[in-house]
Amino acid sequence: MKKWISGAGLLLALTMWACNDEGLDAISTIDSSFETDFDGWEPGFAEYSTKTDTSSLARRVGRPRLPFGLDTSQYAFMIQSNNHSDDIFMYLKKKVTGFKPNETYSVVFDIDLATNAAAGSVGSGGSPASSVYVKAGASLREPATRLQGTEYTFTLDKGQQSQSGADGIVLGDLSNGTKDTTYVLVKRTNADKPFMIKANASGAIWFYVGTDSGFEGLTKLYYNRIRITAREENIQ
């Protein structure tokens, strides 16, 4: 059975069947395009110090239209920060319920985002394109920012910059695929390597997407669409 699921466990009425060679598979799809609201996604920032002047981080979030040069009739979840720590992680998170309790799912993220980071560009600490890594993951624990000593850390194991972790994987970098610093809509996906997660006893999973930056400068990007496909794997 294929079903559409949104945050807070709201199951939409549309139901249809999907088949493969082995029979019927249950597939759940979460699809956020931000045309009317933030669709339950919440922003966060991590991996910077209490010694940092937070005003210099230039943290901003919003739901504007896509930037000039793209389809400006469409909205997006905009997030930005100035990476003085050479390691800042800015992310969006969402809790989704309605999954089968304790069932294992393979998860594919398809992310459409607008980036102006030119391919091959260089900058302080690293490239604004190839040194900023797009990540996504899932967990039974809430993705959050926690103060440890003098550092604001991310509560899940997303891996360090170019590396994946137990709770997340690298989908690519922020290169716009051109030599120009103009915004281009790019797609990042893990379709070739699904992420495995088991829902909790209440049928809930936390999802997150974000960018892990090694570029010591301003990164401003627009999430135009986040589509998550979770397939039941029936692992005993």
Side-chain angles (χ1 to χ4, degrees), residues 18-25 231-234:
C19 302
N20 66 15
D21 293 339
E22 298 178 359
L24 295 172
D25 294 321
R231 180 189 297 269
E232 290 179 22
E233 292 299 327
N234 297 314

Side-chain angles (χ1 to χ4, degrees), residues 105-109 136-139 157 165-169 190 193-198 207-208 229:
Y105 290 84
S106 61
V107 178
V108 172
F109 296 87
S139 176
D157 179 11
D167 302 316
I169 53 178
N190 66 315
K193 189 179 180 181
F195 185 85
M196 305 299 292
I197 183 72
K198 178 184 287 189
F207 297 99
Y208 73 91
T229 306

Side-chain angles (χ1 to χ4, degrees), residues 2 10 18 21 23 29 36 46 52 57 66 71 75 98 100 126-127 134 136 146 166 170 185 188 192 207-208 223 229:
K2 186 172 183 179
L10 176 62
D21 293 339
T29 304
T36 57
T52 304
L57 296 178
L66 286 173
D71 184 352
Y75 288 85
K100 283 187 178 180
S127 166
V134 181
R146 176 178 61 192
V170 177
L185 202 59
R188 297 294 181 261
D192 60 339
F207 297 99
Y208 73 91
Y223 288 95
T229 306

Side-chain angles (χ1 to χ4, degrees), residues 6-230:
S6 66
L10 176 62
L11 301 184
L12 301 186
L14 179 61
T15 301
M16 55 191 300
W17 291 96
C19 302
N20 66 15
D21 293 339
E22 298 178 359
L24 295 172
D25 294 321
I27 303 174
S28 303
T29 304
I30 301 96
D31 200 344
S32 300
S33 60
F34 310 111
E35 286 304 304
T36 57
D37 55 29
F38 291 106
D39 196 27
W41 290 92
E42 302 174 32
F45 300 85
E47 299 191 343
Y48 61 94
S49 171
T50 57
K51 300 176 183 178
T52 304
D53 178 3
T54 54
S55 65
S56 70
L57 296 178
R59 294 174 296 182
R60 302 285 188 277
V61 296
R63 195 182 62 85
R65 297 179 187 270
L66 286 173
F68 179 78
L70 300 177
D71 184 352
T72 56
S73 70
Q74 297 183 23
Y75 288 85
F77 198 136
M78 185 279 293
I79 187 168
Q80 73 167 46
S81 65
N82 202 338
N83 184 23
H84 291 298
S85 68
D86 191 33
D87 197 30
I88 203 164
F89 182 61
M90 54 183 187
Y91 60 93
L92 310 181
K93 64 180 181 180
K94 178 173 180 172
K95 184 180 182 179
V96 181
T97 60
F99 295 105
K100 283 187 178 180
N102 302 312
E103 182 68 71
T104 298
Y105 290 84
S106 61
V107 178
V108 172
F109 296 87
D110 290 295
I111 301 173
D112 297 337
L113 58 87
T115 168
N116 66 346
S121 55
V122 296
S124 178
S127 166
S130 60
S131 296
V132 184
Y133 303 93
V134 181
K135 295 187 172 182
S139 176
L140 303 189
R141 295 185 295 124
E142 180 178 359
T145 301
R146 176 178 61 192
L147 181 61
Q148 289 188 308
T150 61
E151 298 296 320
Y152 289 100
T153 63
F154 189 57
T155 55
L156 302 182
D157 179 11
K158 60 174 177 55
Q160 183 64 16
Q161 293 191 4
S162 64
Q163 302 300 312
S164 298
D167 302 316
I169 53 178
V170 177
L171 305 187
D173 60 32
L174 271 193
S175 172
N176 67 5
T178 77
K179 297 297 182 182
D180 300 320
T181 55
T182 56
Y183 277 97
V184 175
L185 202 59
V186 301
K187 181 182 290 291
R188 297 294 181 261
T189 182
N190 66 315
D192 60 339
K193 189 179 180 181
F195 185 85
M196 305 299 292
I197 183 72
K198 178 184 287 189
N200 67 15
S202 300
I205 300 175
W206 280 95
F207 297 99
Y208 73 91
V209 300
T211 49
D212 205 354
S213 180
F215 164 58
E216 296 179 22
L218 181 69
T219 295
K220 182 177 183 178
L221 56 91
Y222 299 78
Y223 288 95
N224 183 232
R225 185 183 186 188
I226 301 173
R227 190 173 191 270
I228 303 170
T229 306

